[in-house]
């Protein structure tokens, strides 16, 4: 006989509920176990999945007063860390104590301009869209007329279109290598006039689109920028050494301001942070605008009267144009001073087209190229003054290496003015200068120039002027006011 036990409906329902709860509990326990395992694995594996941070250099500085720039020194040591490939990589520069550098400039009055910087009234010792090119990408934000220098392909195309050759580009690279080898430990060049000479060198690197992000020249460029920033901080925005020792510090200031403006444009667009670069650049340009004479030129000490020393003024005019690209100022900031400057140059031009040292067009008339360039970069390249100047250069310019006709201080302006003008005048001039200039380069990448009775332009300055001249084929688009 078998015994059958039958559960009541209530008991059956309780049993089913217990089974249900047990199953749910088991599932929840499994999920919790999996979550704990995943968390443990994540703790051990997560560090291997995180990318390294960008290159960062600490910045230590004392608080700066709003009314006045205080003295600081910029430290360009960069901690090398791997970084994710990005066009927005950031560099930050450190600032510490001040340094002292002097530029003794003798004051000697002469009746004609001298190519010895400090020895005369004229030039004064040694004057006379993305990719891994030029440094790392992000160049689509650079102003168009500057951007063409940043791509090797664009550079070669511009060389071909403008009348240059691959030999010109090879000479430029050799020169940049030479400059890199001759840079002083503090980021400057030269010992007598390091501010101006550093400005020249920095312009030569930026003319090839070499920035602080450049793989080959980045440290060289960064040290040059920070040297000039440091100098401006020491001198309350005035870019020179021993500013009270010479009336000719305005040469230093104009050239270095020009270089810092181009540096700021590249650094700001490429997200390279250089402390106080904007502050010093802004102050330097304001000094140039405030230092214009009532007649429209610029003279020593930035005196408000005296007409204009055009050799001094051309650097201030170029610096203002570079400042317009920075975005620091509104375009209206430059409307009045640029128009006044062109009015001055027009008033001192000879009927034949020459623009000389001051108000006498027969005094250093080979400065005419600087005057023509001034009209071109401020949108007056088709004016009668610019056309007359081109005619003068076309008729009178010569280039025979080894004598005064090849004075690179003059030809630095002429090659830009003639290239911007174009046509048969440019073809004639280019044929005369291009190959002779390339051939004159020394095996080490420098140029050594003896320009005749005024004495030699120092090797550093000659090298920079020759480099800038050969970069003219792609440094700016023709009609560089655009």
């Amino acid at each position: 006989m078998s015994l059958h036990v039958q559960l009541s409906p209530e008991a059956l329902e309780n049993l089913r509920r217990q089974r249900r709860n047990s199953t749910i509990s088991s599932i929840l326990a499994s999920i919790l176990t999996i979550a704990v395992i995943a968390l443990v694995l994540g703790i051990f594996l997560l560090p291997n999945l995180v990318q390294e941070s960008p290159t960062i250099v600490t910045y230590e500085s004392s608080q700066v007063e709003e009314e006045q720039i205080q003295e600081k020194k910029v430290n360009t040591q960069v901690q090398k860390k791997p970084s994710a490939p990005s066009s927005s990589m950031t560099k930050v520069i450190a600032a510490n104590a001040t340094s002292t550098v002097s530029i003794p400039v003798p004051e000697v009055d002469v009746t004609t301009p001298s190519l010895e910087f400090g020895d005369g009234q004229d030039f004064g010792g040694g004057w006379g869209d993305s990719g891994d090119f030029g440094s790392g990408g992000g160049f689509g934000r650079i102003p168009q007329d500057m951007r063409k220098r940043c791509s090797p392909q664009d550079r070669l195309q511009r060389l071909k279109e403008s009348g240059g050759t691959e030999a010109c580009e090879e000479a430029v690279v050799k020169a940049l290598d030479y400059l890199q080898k001759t840079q002083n430990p503090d980021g400057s060049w030269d010992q007598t006039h390091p501010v101006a000479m550093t400005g020249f060198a920095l312009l030569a690197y930026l003319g090839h689109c070499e920035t602080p992000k450049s793989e080959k020249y980045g440290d060289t460029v960064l040290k040059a920028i920070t040297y000039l920033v440091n100098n401006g901080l020491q001198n309350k925005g005035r870019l020179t050494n021993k500013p009270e020792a010479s009336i000719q510090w305005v040469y230093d200031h104009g050239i270095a301001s020009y270089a810092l403006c181009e540096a700021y444009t590249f650094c700001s667009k490429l997200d390279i942070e250089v402390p106080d670069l904007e502050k010093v650049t802004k102050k330097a340009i304001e000094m140039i605008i405030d230092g214009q004479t009532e007649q429209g030129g610029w003279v020593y000490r930035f005196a408000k009267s005296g007409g204009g020393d055009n050799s001094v003024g051309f650097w201030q005019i170029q610096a203002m144009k570079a400042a317009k690209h920075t975005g620091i100022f509104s375009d209206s900031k430059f409307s009045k001073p640029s128009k006044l400057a062109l009015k001055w140059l027009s008033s001192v031009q000879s009927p034949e087209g020459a623009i000389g040292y001051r108000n006498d067009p027969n005094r250093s008339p080979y400065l005419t190229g600087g005057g023509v360039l001034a009209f071109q970069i401020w949108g007056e390249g088709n004016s009668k003054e610019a056309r007359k100047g081109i005619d003068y250069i076309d008729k009178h310019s010569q280039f025979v290496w080894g004598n005064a006709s090849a004075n690179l201080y003059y030809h630095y302006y002429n090659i830009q003015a003639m290239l911007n003008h174009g046509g048969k005048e440019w073809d004639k001039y280019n044929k005369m200068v291009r190959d002779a200039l390339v051939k004159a380069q020394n095996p080490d990448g420098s140029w050594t120039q003896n320009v005749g009775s005024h004495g030699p332009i120092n090797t550093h300055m000659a090298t920079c002027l020759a480099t800038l001249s050969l970069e003219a084929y792609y440094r700016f688009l023709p009609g560089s006011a655009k």
Side-chain angles (χ1 to χ4, degrees):
M1 182 178 68
S2 56
L3 182 64
H4 297 279
V5 179
Q6 185 174 2
L7 297 176
S8 67
E10 291 81 8
L12 286 173
E13 182 59 29
N14 289 334
L15 182 60
R16 293 191 189 99
R17 188 179 299 112
Q18 291 174 4
R19 289 174 179 172
R20 229 179 6 252
N21 292 339
S22 178
T23 301
I24 293 172
S25 298
S26 299
I27 293 172
L28 290 176
S30 299
I31 292 174
L32 182 60
T33 301
I34 293 171
V36 171
I37 293 172
L39 180 61
V40 172
L41 290 175
I43 292 173
F44 287 99
L45 297 179
L46 185 59
N48 295 325
L49 299 176
V50 177
Q51 291 181 320
E52 295 284 349
S53 60
T55 303
I56 297 293
V57 183
T58 60
Y59 172 48
E60 300 175 0
S61 68
S62 57
Q63 192 171 10
V64 180
E65 295 180 358
E66 290 296 326
E67 298 79 16
Q68 174 175 308
I69 301 176
Q70 294 182 340
E71 293 185 357
K72 297 183 215 168
K73 170 127 181 159
V74 180
N75 180 351
T76 60
Q77 291 183 349
V78 178
Q79 298 174 9
K80 299 295 184 180
K81 297 181 181 179
S83 61
S86 169
S87 62
S88 61
M89 180 176 64
T90 302
K91 283 180 180 281
V92 183
I93 318 306
N96 296 316
T98 62
S99 65
T100 57
V101 185
S102 62
I103 304 181
V105 183
E107 299 175 13
V108 181
D109 292 328
V110 296
T111 56
T112 58
S114 169
L115 297 179
E116 287 299 316
F117 186 73
D119 291 342
Q121 293 179 324
D122 196 8
F123 318 126
W127 291 100
D129 278 36
S130 299
D132 191 21
F133 45 80
S135 66
F139 293 101
R141 297 160 59 192
I142 300 297
Q144 182 180 3
D145 67 339
M146 298 171 68
R147 193 188 315 149
K148 283 289 184 179
R149 69 181 80 165
C150 292
S151 161
Q153 293 76 20
D154 282 344
R155 282 201 296 267
L156 292 176
Q157 181 181 353
R158 292 291 304 138
L159 277 170
K160 182 178 180 181
E161 293 173 350
S162 302
T165 64
E166 291 188 14
C168 296
E169 178 72 349
E170 292 170 0
V172 167
V173 173
K174 286 177 62 179
L176 297 181
D177 289 344
Y178 168 83
L179 292 173
Q180 186 175 51
K181 294 174 183 177
T182 57
Q183 188 178 31
N184 296 326
D186 65 355
S188 68
W189 280 267
D190 191 61
Q191 296 297 329
T192 308
H193 304 286
V195 174
M197 298 304 155
T198 301
F200 277 135
L202 181 55
L203 284 170
Y205 280 107
L206 296 171
H208 200 253
C209 200
E210 304 299 341
T211 77
K213 288 186 178 182
S214 298
E215 181 178 357
K216 184 176 183 181
Y217 303 114
D219 288 344
T220 300
V221 174
L222 181 59
K223 288 168 64 178
I225 294 172
T226 55
Y227 172 81
L228 293 179
V229 170
N230 206 40
N231 180 265
L233 292 170
Q234 294 171 17
N235 294 306
K236 301 178 182 178
R238 188 180 297 184
L239 296 165
T240 187
N241 291 74
K242 288 193 173 180
E244 305 303 328
S246 171
I247 62 174
Q248 296 173 326
W249 63 267
V250 292
Y251 274 110
D252 290 338
H253 187 85
I255 294 165
S257 296
Y258 183 10
L260 283 183
C261 285
E262 284 217 349
Y264 178 84
T265 297
F266 278 104
C267 288
S268 63
K269 301 303 181 184
L270 299 178
D271 297 323
I272 303 170
E273 183 183 351
V274 181
D276 295 312
L277 172 58
E278 180 176 350
K279 182 188 293 289
V280 171
T281 301
K282 185 174 185 292
K283 179 66 174 178
I285 294 301
E286 288 174 341
M287 292 181 69
I288 288 174
I289 294 174
D290 293 341
Q292 190 175 27
T293 68
E294 297 171 353
Q295 296 85 358
W298 285 265
V299 295
Y300 295 142
R301 296 193 182 98
F302 282 154
K304 296 299 291 182
S305 61
D309 175 334
N310 295 328
S311 180
V312 168
F314 293 152
W315 293 109
Q316 321 307 319
I317 291 170
Q318 292 174 92
M320 287 198 305
K321 182 60 182 185
K324 188 177 179 181
H325 280 311
T326 63
I328 295 175
F329 307 93
S330 65
D331 288 352
S332 61
K333 181 79 171 179
F334 306 102
S335 179
K336 181 178 178 180
S338 63
K339 289 178 180 178
L340 191 59
L342 297 186
K343 182 179 179 181
W344 161 257
L345 293 175
S346 178
S347 72
V348 299
Q349 187 176 35
S350 73
E352 192 180 9
I355 297 175
Y357 168 57
R358 281 185 177 261
N359 58 353
D360 181 2
N362 295 315
R363 189 177 177 188
S364 297
Y366 298 114
L367 282 169
T368 298
V372 174
L373 181 63
F375 281 97
Q376 290 172 338
I377 65 177
W378 288 104
E380 297 294 333
N382 292 322
S383 65
K384 68 179 187 302
E385 292 88 352
R387 294 197 303 270
K388 286 164 58 179
I390 291 293
D391 289 342
Y392 186 88
I393 297 170
D394 183 54
K395 292 176 182 177
H396 297 280
S397 185
Q398 299 179 32
F399 193 92
V400 179
W401 191 261
N403 67 38
S405 70
N407 184 334
L408 287 174
Y409 191 87
Y410 298 143
H411 286 283
Y412 160 80
Y413 292 118
N414 287 348
I415 194 170
Q416 295 179 81
M418 298 301 277
L419 175 57
N420 285 334
H421 175 74
K424 58 183 175 55
E425 293 88 357
W426 163 242
D427 292 338
K428 173 186 172 183
Y429 178 87
N430 187 45
K431 183 178 180 180
M432 175 178 66
V433 174
R434 183 194 66 200
D435 295 342
L437 182 57
V438 171
K439 184 178 179 181
Q441 188 176 31
N442 297 321
D444 66 356
S446 68
W447 276 266
T448 305
Q449 182 170 57
N450 188 322
V451 295
S453 60
H454 291 305
I457 294 177
N458 72 37
T459 298
H460 174 81
M461 181 176 173
T463 300
C464 292
L465 291 176
T467 303
L468 289 165
S469 297
L470 292 174
E471 290 174 344
Y473 296 103
Y474 49 74
R475 187 164 174 246
F476 294 109
L477 298 178
S480 52
K482 305 268 192 316

